[in-house]
Amino acid sequence: MLERKDKMATFKTVNSTDKYKDDNAICDVLNYILNINKTPHNYIGFCSLDPMCNLAEQMMTTSEFFNKSSGVRLRHWIVSFSPKEINKASVVNEIASKISSYIGANFQTVYAVHEDKTHLHFHLVHNAVSYVDGHRFYGTRADFYAFENFLKSVCAEYGIKKVMYVQTSSDI
């Protein structure tokens, strides 16, 4: 088994297709990632959402507007860093903001930097329906590799040379 926690940045997709299809999915995931106990310095960001209004409601309204309020409601990514790579939440926030803006060009996004573990990490959640044209994000191989390539390029700006995809949270 690779020693991912100590050696390199990792990312994963959270694919809870059964859970992420129900009416409470967006609200439940947002409540988890925005938990004040996990985000003590309030490193949180948004794209194409008004943070003063109900975030989940705004995402659901977009989906309803395009008649796509069934199926998978959101996509959820986790990007984690070794303490040897990054030990400042403010730097993780900069990276998360850039990634959020990339996805946010087409989809409403929310991210939060979690500081409750020895490794800093951020969660990025985005609507599965584009606010631009209503197309659905299916998470195809092309989507995955585009995200991975962009993530790697942003991490390289911060001296992080390797970013590995992992399939389970225990690998983060």
Side-chain angles (χ1 to χ4, degrees):
M1 178 186 220
L2 294 173
E3 297 176 44
R4 294 179 184 115
K5 292 181 211 173
D6 297 329
K7 301 282 185 190
M8 69 182 77
T10 60
F11 76 102
K12 75 172 295 226
T13 57
V14 181
N15 293 317
S16 183
T17 52
D18 291 336
K19 172 64 183 148
Y20 289 178
K21 287 182 178 180
D22 75 37
D23 289 339
N24 297 320
I26 295 171
C27 190
D28 291 347
V29 175
L30 291 179
N31 283 337
Y32 173 76
I33 74 162
L34 298 172
N35 181 325
I36 191 76
N37 296 320
K38 296 177 181 297
T39 59
H41 290 97
N42 204 34
Y43 289 121
I44 295 168
F46 315 90
C47 281
S48 304
L49 291 165
D50 180 350
M52 302 306 289
C53 297
N54 184 306
L55 300 171
E57 212 170 86
Q58 291 174 75
M59 289 179 160
M60 290 185 283
T61 298
T62 297
S63 298
E64 289 167 4
F65 179 80
F66 289 105
N67 295 317
K68 294 184 178 174
S69 56
S70 62
V72 174
R73 310 293 175 93
L74 63 103
R75 295 297 177 164
H76 183 181
W77 306 81
I78 304 171
V79 179
S80 179
F81 302 94
S82 156
K84 293 176 183 174
E85 292 171 315
I86 300 177
N87 60 8
K88 292 183 179 176
S90 60
V91 175
V92 175
N93 185 59
E94 289 175 23
I95 294 169
S97 179
K98 290 178 181 185
I99 302 301
S100 180
S101 293
Y102 169 75
I103 300 282
N106 288 294
F107 300 92
Q108 296 161 310
T109 65
V110 179
Y111 75 84
V113 176
H114 283 197
E115 303 173 68
D116 61 327
K117 306 273 186 204
T118 57
H119 60 278
L120 295 170
H121 60 284
F122 69 89
H123 291 257
L124 178 97
V125 172
H126 68 86
N127 196 341
V129 177
S130 170
Y131 68 88
V132 175
D133 60 9
H135 80 272
R136 192 175 284 278
F137 184 96
Y138 287 105
T140 64
R141 284 184 187 206
D143 294 330
F144 175 86
Y145 289 120
F147 178 85
E148 180 181 46
N149 289 335
F150 187 76
L151 174 62
K152 285 180 177 182
S153 71
V154 170
C155 286
E157 294 173 24
Y158 293 85
I160 299 169
K161 294 178 171 69
K162 287 192 167 196
V163 180
M164 176 184 251
Y165 176 71
V166 297
Q167 293 185 356
T168 66
S169 294
S170 64
D171 291 333
I172 293 180

Coordinates of all heavy atoms in Angstrom, one line a residue, residues 83-162:
P83 N 0.7 17.0 5.2 CA 1.2 18.1 6.0 C 2.6 18.6 5.5 O 3.0 19.8 5.7 CB 1.3 17.6 7.4 CG 0.4 16.4 7.4 CD 0.4 15.9 6.0
K84 N 3.4 17.7 4.9 CA 4.7 18.1 4.3 C 4.6 19.0 3.1 O 5.5 19.7 2.7 CB 5.5 16.9 4.0 CG 5.9 16.1 5.3 CD 6.6 14.8 4.9 CE 6.9 14.0 6.2 NZ 7.4 12.7 5.9
E85 N 3.4 18.9 2.4 CA 3.2 19.7 1.2 C 2.7 21.1 1.6 O 3.2 22.1 1.1 CB 2.2 19.0 0.3 CG 2.7 17.8 -0.3 CD 1.6 17.0 -1.1 OE1 0.5 16.9 -0.6 OE2 1.9 16.6 -2.2
I86 N 1.6 21.1 2.3 CA 0.9 22.3 2.7 C 0.5 22.2 4.2 O -0.2 21.2 4.5 CB -0.3 22.6 1.8 CG1 0.0 22.7 0.4 CG2 -1.0 23.8 2.3 CD1 -1.1 22.9 -0.6
N87 N 0.9 23.2 4.9 CA 0.4 23.2 6.3 C -0.3 24.5 6.7 O -0.5 24.8 7.9 CB 1.6 22.9 7.3 CG 2.7 23.9 7.2 OD1 2.5 25.0 6.5 ND2 3.8 23.7 7.8
K88 N -0.7 25.3 5.7 CA -1.4 26.5 5.9 C -2.8 26.4 5.3 O -2.9 26.2 4.0 CB -0.7 27.7 5.4 CG 0.6 28.0 6.2 CD 1.2 29.2 5.6 CE 2.5 29.5 6.4 NZ 3.2 30.7 5.9
A89 N -3.8 26.6 6.0 CA -5.2 26.5 5.5 C -5.4 27.6 4.5 O -6.2 27.5 3.5 CB -6.2 26.6 6.6
S90 N -4.7 28.8 4.6 CA -4.9 29.9 3.7 C -4.4 29.5 2.3 O -5.0 29.9 1.3 CB -4.2 31.1 4.2 OG -2.8 30.9 4.3
V91 N -3.4 28.6 2.2 CA -2.9 28.2 0.9 C -3.9 27.2 0.3 O -4.1 27.3 -0.9 CB -1.5 27.6 1.0 CG1 -1.0 27.0 -0.3 CG2 -0.5 28.6 1.5
V92 N -4.4 26.3 1.1 CA -5.4 25.4 0.6 C -6.6 26.1 0.1 O -7.2 25.8 -1.0 CB -5.8 24.3 1.7 CG1 -6.9 23.4 1.2 CG2 -4.6 23.5 2.1
N93 N -7.0 27.2 0.8 CA -8.1 28.1 0.3 C -7.8 28.7 -1.0 O -8.7 28.7 -1.9 CB -8.3 29.2 1.4 CG -9.5 30.0 1.0 OD1 -10.6 29.5 0.9 ND2 -9.3 31.3 0.8
E94 N -6.6 29.1 -1.3 CA -6.2 29.7 -2.6 C -6.4 28.6 -3.7 O -7.0 28.9 -4.8 CB -4.8 30.1 -2.6 CG -4.5 31.4 -1.8 CD -3.1 31.7 -1.8 OE1 -2.3 31.3 -2.7 OE2 -2.7 32.5 -0.8
I95 N -5.9 27.4 -3.4 CA -6.1 26.3 -4.4 C -7.6 26.0 -4.6 O -8.0 25.9 -5.8 CB -5.3 25.1 -4.0 CG1 -3.8 25.4 -4.0 CG2 -5.6 23.8 -4.8 CD1 -2.9 24.3 -3.3
A96 N -8.3 25.9 -3.5 CA -9.7 25.5 -3.6 C -10.5 26.6 -4.4 O -11.4 26.3 -5.2 CB -10.3 25.4 -2.2
S97 N -10.1 27.8 -4.2 CA -10.8 28.9 -4.9 C -10.6 28.8 -6.4 O -11.5 29.0 -7.2 CB -10.3 30.3 -4.4 OG -10.9 31.3 -5.1
K98 N -9.3 28.5 -6.8 CA -9.0 28.4 -8.3 C -9.8 27.2 -8.9 O -10.3 27.3 -10.0 CB -7.5 28.2 -8.5 CG -6.8 29.5 -8.2 CD -5.3 29.3 -8.3 CE -4.5 30.6 -8.0 NZ -3.1 30.5 -8.2
I99 N -9.9 26.1 -8.1 CA -10.6 24.9 -8.6 C -12.1 25.2 -8.7 O -12.7 24.9 -9.7 CB -10.3 23.7 -7.7 CG1 -8.8 23.4 -7.7 CG2 -11.1 22.5 -8.2 CD1 -8.1 23.1 -9.0
S100 N -12.6 25.9 -7.7 CA -14.0 26.2 -7.7 C -14.3 27.2 -8.9 O -15.4 27.0 -9.5 CB -14.3 26.9 -6.4 OG -15.7 27.3 -6.3
S101 N -13.5 28.1 -9.2 CA -13.7 29.0 -10.3 C -13.7 28.2 -11.6 O -14.5 28.6 -12.5 CB -12.6 30.1 -10.4 OG -12.8 30.9 -9.2
Y102 N -12.9 27.2 -11.7 CA -12.8 26.4 -13.0 C -14.2 25.7 -13.2 O -14.8 25.8 -14.2 CB -11.7 25.4 -12.8 CG -11.6 24.3 -13.9 CD1 -11.3 24.6 -15.2 CD2 -12.0 23.0 -13.6 CE1 -11.2 23.6 -16.1 CE2 -12.0 22.0 -14.5 CZ -11.6 22.3 -15.8 OH -11.6 21.3 -16.7
I103 N -14.6 25.0 -12.1 CA -15.9 24.3 -12.2 C -17.1 25.3 -12.3 O -18.0 25.2 -13.0 CB -16.1 23.4 -11.0 CG1 -15.0 22.3 -10.9 CG2 -17.5 22.8 -11.0 CD1 -15.2 21.2 -11.9
G104 N -16.9 26.4 -11.6 CA -17.9 27.5 -11.5 C -18.2 28.2 -12.7 O -19.1 29.0 -12.8
A105 N -17.3 28.0 -13.8 CA -17.6 28.7 -15.0 C -18.9 28.1 -15.7 O -19.6 28.8 -16.5 CB -16.5 28.4 -16.0
N106 N -19.3 26.9 -15.2 CA -20.6 26.3 -15.8 C -21.5 25.8 -14.7 O -22.7 25.7 -15.0 CB -20.2 25.2 -16.7 CG -19.7 25.6 -18.0 OD1 -20.3 26.3 -18.8 ND2 -18.4 25.3 -18.2
F107 N -21.0 25.6 -13.5 CA -21.9 25.0 -12.4 C -21.7 25.8 -11.1 O -20.6 26.2 -10.8 CB -21.4 23.5 -12.2 CG -21.5 22.6 -13.4 CD1 -20.5 22.5 -14.3 CD2 -22.7 22.0 -13.7 CE1 -20.6 21.7 -15.4 CE2 -22.9 21.2 -14.8 CZ -21.8 21.0 -15.7
Q108 N -22.8 25.9 -10.4 CA -22.8 26.5 -9.1 C -21.9 25.6 -8.2 O -22.1 24.4 -8.1 CB -24.2 26.6 -8.5 CG -25.1 27.5 -9.4 CD -26.6 27.2 -9.1 OE1 -27.0 26.1 -9.1 NE2 -27.3 28.3 -8.8
T109 N -21.0 26.3 -7.5 CA -20.1 25.5 -6.6 C -20.0 26.1 -5.2 O -20.2 27.3 -5.0 CB -18.6 25.5 -7.2 OG1 -18.1 26.8 -7.2 CG2 -18.6 24.9 -8.6
V110 N -19.7 25.2 -4.3 CA -19.4 25.6 -2.9 C -18.2 24.8 -2.5 O -18.1 23.6 -2.8 CB -20.5 25.3 -2.0 CG1 -20.2 25.7 -0.5 CG2 -21.8 26.0 -2.4
Y111 N -17.2 25.4 -1.8 CA -16.1 24.7 -1.3 C -15.9 25.1 0.1 O -16.2 26.2 0.6 CB -14.8 24.8 -2.1 CG -14.1 26.1 -1.9 CD1 -13.2 26.3 -0.9 CD2 -14.3 27.2 -2.8 CE1 -12.6 27.5 -0.7 CE2 -13.7 28.4 -2.7 CZ -12.8 28.6 -1.6 OH -12.2 29.8 -1.4
A112 N -15.2 24.2 0.9 CA -14.9 24.5 2.3 C -13.6 23.8 2.6 O -13.4 22.6 2.3 CB -16.0 24.0 3.2
V113 N -12.6 24.5 3.2 CA -11.4 23.9 3.7 C -11.6 23.3 5.0 O -12.0 24.0 6.0 CB -10.3 25.0 3.7 CG1 -9.0 24.4 4.2 CG2 -10.1 25.6 2.3
H114 N -11.3 22.0 5.2 CA -11.5 21.4 6.5 C -10.1 21.3 7.2 O -9.1 20.9 6.6 CB -12.0 19.9 6.3 CG -13.5 19.9 6.0 ND1 -14.3 18.8 6.1 CD2 -14.4 20.9 5.6 CE1 -15.5 19.1 5.9 NE2 -15.6 20.4 5.5
E115 N -10.1 21.7 8.4 CA -8.9 21.8 9.2 C -9.0 20.8 10.4 O -8.2 20.9 11.3 CB -8.7 23.2 9.7 CG -8.7 24.2 8.6 CD -8.6 25.6 9.2 OE1 -7.6 26.0 9.8 OE2 -9.6 26.4 9.0
D116 N -9.9 19.9 10.4 CA -10.1 19.0 11.5 C -9.3 17.7 11.5 O -9.4 16.9 12.4 CB -11.6 18.6 11.6 CG -12.1 17.9 10.4 OD1 -11.6 18.1 9.3 OD2 -13.0 17.0 10.5
K117 N -8.4 17.5 10.6 CA -7.6 16.4 10.5 C -6.1 16.8 10.4 O -5.8 18.0 10.3 CB -7.9 15.6 9.2 CG -9.3 15.2 9.0 CD -9.6 13.9 9.7 CE -11.0 13.4 9.4 NZ -11.5 12.6 10.3
T118 N -5.2 15.9 10.5 CA -3.8 16.3 10.5 C -3.4 16.8 9.0 O -2.5 17.5 8.9 CB -2.8 15.1 10.9 OG1 -3.1 14.0 10.0 CG2 -3.0 14.8 12.3
H119 N -4.2 16.3 8.1 CA -3.9 16.7 6.7 C -5.0 17.7 6.3 O -6.2 17.5 6.5 CB -3.9 15.6 5.7 CG -5.2 14.8 5.7 ND1 -5.5 13.8 6.7 CD2 -6.3 14.8 4.9 CE1 -6.7 13.3 6.5 NE2 -7.2 13.9 5.4
L120 N -4.7 18.9 5.8 CA -5.7 19.8 5.3 C -6.3 19.3 4.0 O -5.6 18.7 3.2 CB -5.0 21.2 5.1 CG -4.4 21.9 6.3 CD1 -3.6 23.1 5.9 CD2 -5.5 22.3 7.2
H121 N -7.5 19.6 3.9 CA -8.2 19.1 2.7 C -9.4 20.0 2.4 O -9.9 20.8 3.3 CB -8.7 17.7 2.8 CG -9.6 17.4 3.9 ND1 -9.2 17.3 5.2 CD2 -10.9 17.2 3.9 CE1 -10.2 17.0 6.0 NE2 -11.3 16.9 5.2
F122 N -9.9 20.0 1.2 CA -11.1 20.8 0.9 C -12.1 19.9 0.2 O -11.8 18.9 -0.5 CB -10.8 22.1 0.1 CG -10.4 21.9 -1.3 CD1 -11.3 21.8 -2.3 CD2 -9.1 21.9 -1.6 CE1 -10.9 21.8 -3.6 CE2 -8.6 21.8 -2.9 CZ -9.6 21.7 -3.9
H123 N -13.4 20.2 0.4 CA -14.5 19.6 -0.2 C -15.0 20.6 -1.3 O -15.2 21.8 -0.9 CB -15.6 19.2 0.7 CG -15.3 18.2 1.7 ND1 -15.7 16.9 1.6 CD2 -14.5 18.2 2.8 CE1 -15.3 16.1 2.6 NE2 -14.5 16.9 3.3
L124 N -15.3 20.1 -2.4 CA -15.9 20.9 -3.5 C -17.2 20.2 -3.9 O -17.2 19.0 -4.2 CB -15.0 21.1 -4.7 CG -15.6 21.9 -5.8 CD1 -15.1 23.4 -5.7 CD2 -15.3 21.4 -7.1
V125 N -18.3 20.9 -3.8 CA -19.6 20.4 -4.2 C -20.1 21.3 -5.4 O -20.0 22.5 -5.3 CB -20.6 20.4 -3.1 CG1 -22.0 20.1 -3.5 CG2 -20.1 19.5 -2.0
H126 N -20.6 20.7 -6.4 CA -21.2 21.5 -7.5 C -22.5 20.9 -7.9 O -22.7 19.7 -7.9 CB -20.2 21.8 -8.6 CG -19.8 20.6 -9.4 ND1 -20.5 20.2 -10.5 CD2 -18.7 19.8 -9.4 CE1 -19.9 19.2 -11.1 NE2 -18.8 18.9 -10.4
N127 N -23.4 21.8 -8.4 CA -24.6 21.3 -8.9 C -24.4 20.4 -10.1 O -23.4 20.7 -10.9 CB -25.4 22.6 -9.4 CG -26.9 22.3 -9.6 OD1 -27.3 21.2 -9.7 ND2 -27.7 23.4 -9.6
A128 N -25.2 19.4 -10.3 CA -25.0 18.5 -11.5 C -25.6 19.1 -12.7 O -25.4 18.6 -13.8 CB -25.7 17.2 -11.2
V129 N -26.3 20.2 -12.6 CA -27.0 20.9 -13.7 C -26.3 22.3 -13.9 O -26.2 23.1 -13.0 CB -28.5 21.1 -13.5 CG1 -29.1 21.8 -14.7 CG2 -29.1 19.7 -13.4
S130 N -25.9 22.6 -15.1 CA -25.3 23.8 -15.4 C -26.2 25.0 -15.3 O -27.3 24.9 -15.9 CB -24.7 23.8 -16.8 OG -24.2 25.1 -17.2
Y131 N -25.8 26.1 -14.7 CA -26.7 27.3 -14.6 C -26.6 28.0 -16.0 O -27.4 28.9 -16.3 CB -26.2 28.2 -13.5 CG -24.9 28.8 -13.6 CD1 -24.7 30.0 -14.3 CD2 -23.7 28.2 -13.1 CE1 -23.5 30.6 -14.5 CE2 -22.5 28.8 -13.3 CZ -22.3 30.0 -13.9 OH -21.1 30.5 -14.1
V132 N -25.6 27.7 -16.8 CA -25.4 28.4 -18.1 C -26.4 27.9 -19.1 O -27.0 28.8 -19.8 CB -23.9 28.2 -18.6 CG1 -23.7 28.8 -20.0 CG2 -22.9 28.7 -17.6
D133 N -26.4 26.6 -19.3 CA -27.3 26.1 -20.4 C -28.1 24.9 -20.0 O -28.8 24.3 -20.9 CB -26.4 25.8 -21.6 CG -25.4 24.7 -21.3 OD1 -25.4 24.1 -20.3 OD2 -24.5 24.5 -22.2
G134 N -28.0 24.5 -18.8 CA -28.9 23.4 -18.3 C -28.3 22.0 -18.6 O -28.9 21.0 -18.3
H135 N -27.1 21.9 -19.2 CA -26.6 20.6 -19.4 C -26.1 19.9 -18.1 O -25.8 20.6 -17.2 CB -25.4 20.6 -20.5 CG -24.1 21.0 -19.9 ND1 -23.7 22.3 -19.9 CD2 -23.1 20.2 -19.4 CE1 -22.5 22.3 -19.4 NE2 -22.1 21.1 -19.1
R136 N -26.2 18.6 -18.1 CA -26.0 17.8 -16.9 C -24.5 17.4 -16.9 O -23.9 17.0 -17.9 CB -26.9 16.6 -16.8 CG -26.9 15.9 -15.5 CD -27.8 14.8 -15.4 NE -29.2 15.2 -15.2 CZ -29.8 15.5 -14.1 NH1 -29.1 15.5 -13.0 NH2 -31.0 15.8 -14.0
F137 N -23.9 17.5 -15.7 CA -22.5 17.0 -15.5 C -22.6 15.5 -15.2 O -23.1 15.1 -14.2 CB -21.8 17.7 -14.4 CG -20.4 17.3 -14.2 CD1 -19.4 18.1 -14.7 CD2 -20.1 16.2 -13.4 CE1 -18.1 17.8 -14.5 CE2 -18.7 15.9 -13.2 CZ -17.7 16.7 -13.8
Y138 N -22.2 14.7 -16.1 CA -22.3 13.2 -15.9 C -21.1 12.6 -15.3 O -21.1 11.4 -14.9 CB -22.6 12.5 -17.3 CG -24.0 12.8 -17.7 CD1 -24.3 13.6 -18.8 CD2 -25.1 12.1 -17.1 CE1 -25.6 13.9 -19.2 CE2 -26.4 12.3 -17.5 CZ -26.7 13.2 -18.6 OH -27.9 13.5 -19.0
G139 N -20.0 13.3 -15.2 CA -18.8 12.7 -14.7 C -18.2 11.7 -15.6 O -17.7 10.7 -15.2
T140 N -18.1 12.0 -16.9 CA -17.5 11.2 -17.9 C -16.0 11.1 -17.7 O -15.4 11.9 -16.9 CB -17.8 11.7 -19.3 OG1 -17.2 12.9 -19.5 CG2 -19.3 11.8 -19.6
R141 N -15.4 10.2 -18.4 CA -13.9 10.1 -18.4 C -13.3 11.5 -18.8 O -12.3 11.9 -18.2 CB -13.4 9.0 -19.3 CG -13.6 7.7 -18.7 CD -12.9 6.6 -19.6 NE -13.3 5.3 -19.0 CZ -12.6 4.2 -19.2 NH1 -11.5 4.3 -19.9 NH2 -13.0 3.1 -18.6
A142 N -13.9 12.1 -19.8 CA -13.4 13.4 -20.3 C -13.5 14.4 -19.2 O -12.6 15.2 -18.9 CB -14.1 13.8 -21.5
D143 N -14.6 14.4 -18.5 CA -14.8 15.4 -17.3 C -13.8 15.1 -16.2 O -13.2 16.0 -15.7 CB -16.2 15.2 -16.7 CG -17.3 15.6 -17.6 OD1 -17.2 16.5 -18.4 OD2 -18.4 15.0 -17.4
F144 N -13.6 13.8 -15.9 CA -12.6 13.4 -14.9 C -11.2 13.9 -15.2 O -10.5 14.5 -14.4 CB -12.7 11.9 -14.7 CG -11.6 11.4 -13.7 CD1 -11.9 11.4 -12.4 CD2 -10.4 11.0 -14.2 CE1 -10.9 10.9 -11.5 CE2 -9.4 10.5 -13.3 CZ -9.7 10.5 -11.9
Y145 N -10.8 13.6 -16.5 CA -9.4 13.9 -16.8 C -9.2 15.4 -17.0 O -8.1 16.0 -16.7 CB -9.0 13.2 -18.1 CG -8.8 11.7 -17.8 CD1 -9.5 10.8 -18.5 CD2 -7.9 11.3 -16.9 CE1 -9.4 9.4 -18.2 CE2 -7.7 9.9 -16.6 CZ -8.4 9.0 -17.3 OH -8.3 7.7 -17.0
A146 N -10.2 16.1 -17.4 CA -10.1 17.6 -17.5 C -10.0 18.2 -16.1 O -9.1 19.0 -15.8 CB -11.4 18.2 -18.1
F147 N -10.8 17.7 -15.1 CA -10.6 18.1 -13.7 C -9.2 17.7 -13.2 O -8.6 18.6 -12.6 CB -11.7 17.4 -12.8 CG -11.6 17.8 -11.4 CD1 -12.2 19.0 -10.9 CD2 -10.9 17.0 -10.5 CE1 -12.1 19.4 -9.6 CE2 -10.8 17.4 -9.1 CZ -11.4 18.5 -8.7
E148 N -8.8 16.5 -13.4 CA -7.5 16.1 -12.9 C -6.4 16.9 -13.5 O -5.5 17.4 -12.7 CB -7.3 14.6 -13.3 CG -5.9 14.1 -12.8 CD -5.7 12.6 -13.2 OE1 -6.0 12.3 -14.3 OE2 -5.3 11.8 -12.3
N149 N -6.4 17.2 -14.7 CA -5.4 18.0 -15.4 C -5.3 19.4 -14.8 O -4.3 20.0 -14.6 CB -5.5 18.0 -16.9 CG -5.2 16.7 -17.5 OD1 -4.4 15.9 -16.9 ND2 -5.7 16.4 -18.7
F150 N -6.5 20.0 -14.6 CA -6.6 21.4 -14.1 C -6.1 21.4 -12.6 O -5.3 22.2 -12.3 CB -8.0 21.9 -14.2 CG -8.0 23.4 -13.8 CD1 -7.5 24.4 -14.6 CD2 -8.5 23.8 -12.5 CE1 -7.5 25.7 -14.2 CE2 -8.5 25.1 -12.1 CZ -8.0 26.1 -13.0
L151 N -6.5 20.4 -11.9 CA -6.1 20.3 -10.5 C -4.5 20.2 -10.4 O -3.9 20.8 -9.6 CB -6.7 19.1 -9.8 CG -6.3 18.7 -8.4 CD1 -6.6 19.9 -7.4 CD2 -6.9 17.5 -7.9
K152 N -4.0 19.3 -11.2 CA -2.5 19.1 -11.3 C -1.8 20.4 -11.6 O -0.8 20.8 -11.1 CB -2.1 18.0 -12.2 CG -2.4 16.6 -11.6 CD -2.0 15.5 -12.6 CE -2.3 14.2 -12.0 NZ -1.9 13.1 -12.8
S153 N -2.4 21.2 -12.6 CA -1.7 22.4 -13.0 C -1.7 23.5 -11.9 O -0.8 24.2 -11.7 CB -2.3 23.0 -14.3 OG -3.6 23.5 -14.1
V154 N -2.9 23.5 -11.2 CA -3.0 24.5 -10.0 C -2.0 24.0 -8.9 O -1.3 24.9 -8.4 CB -4.4 24.6 -9.5 CG1 -4.5 25.3 -8.2 CG2 -5.3 25.2 -10.6
C155 N -2.0 22.8 -8.6 CA -1.1 22.3 -7.5 C 0.4 22.5 -7.9 O 1.2 22.9 -7.0 CB -1.3 20.8 -7.3 SG -2.9 20.5 -6.4
A156 N 0.7 22.4 -9.2 CA 2.1 22.6 -9.6 C 2.5 24.1 -9.3 O 3.7 24.4 -9.0 CB 2.2 22.3 -11.1
E157 N 1.6 25.0 -9.4 CA 1.9 26.4 -9.1 C 2.3 26.6 -7.6 O 3.0 27.6 -7.3 CB 0.6 27.3 -9.3 CG 0.2 27.4 -10.7 CD -1.2 28.2 -10.8 OE1 -1.5 29.0 -9.9 OE2 -1.9 28.0 -11.8
Y158 N 2.0 25.6 -6.8 CA 2.3 25.7 -5.4 C 3.4 24.6 -5.0 O 3.6 24.3 -3.8 CB 1.1 25.4 -4.5 CG 0.1 26.5 -4.7 CD1 -0.8 26.6 -5.7 CD2 0.1 27.6 -3.8 CE1 -1.7 27.6 -5.9 CE2 -0.8 28.6 -3.9 CZ -1.7 28.6 -5.0 OH -2.6 29.7 -5.1
G159 N 4.1 24.2 -6.0 CA 5.2 23.2 -5.8 C 4.8 21.8 -5.6 O 5.7 21.0 -5.2
I160 N 3.6 21.5 -5.8 CA 3.1 20.1 -5.6 C 3.2 19.4 -6.9 O 2.5 19.7 -7.8 CB 1.7 20.1 -5.0 CG1 1.6 20.8 -3.7 CG2 1.1 18.7 -4.9 CD1 0.2 21.1 -3.2
K161 N 4.1 18.4 -6.9 CA 4.5 17.8 -8.2 C 3.6 16.6 -8.5 O 3.4 16.2 -9.7 CB 5.9 17.3 -8.1 CG 6.9 18.5 -8.1 CD 8.3 18.0 -8.0 CE 9.3 19.1 -8.2 NZ 9.5 20.1 -7.3
K162 N 3.0 15.9 -7.5 CA 2.2 14.7 -7.7 C 0.9 14.9 -7.0 O 0.8 15.3 -5.9 CB 2.9 13.5 -7.2 CG 4.1 13.0 -8.0 CD 4.5 11.6 -7.5 CE 5.5 11.1 -8.5 NZ 5.6 9.6 -8.4

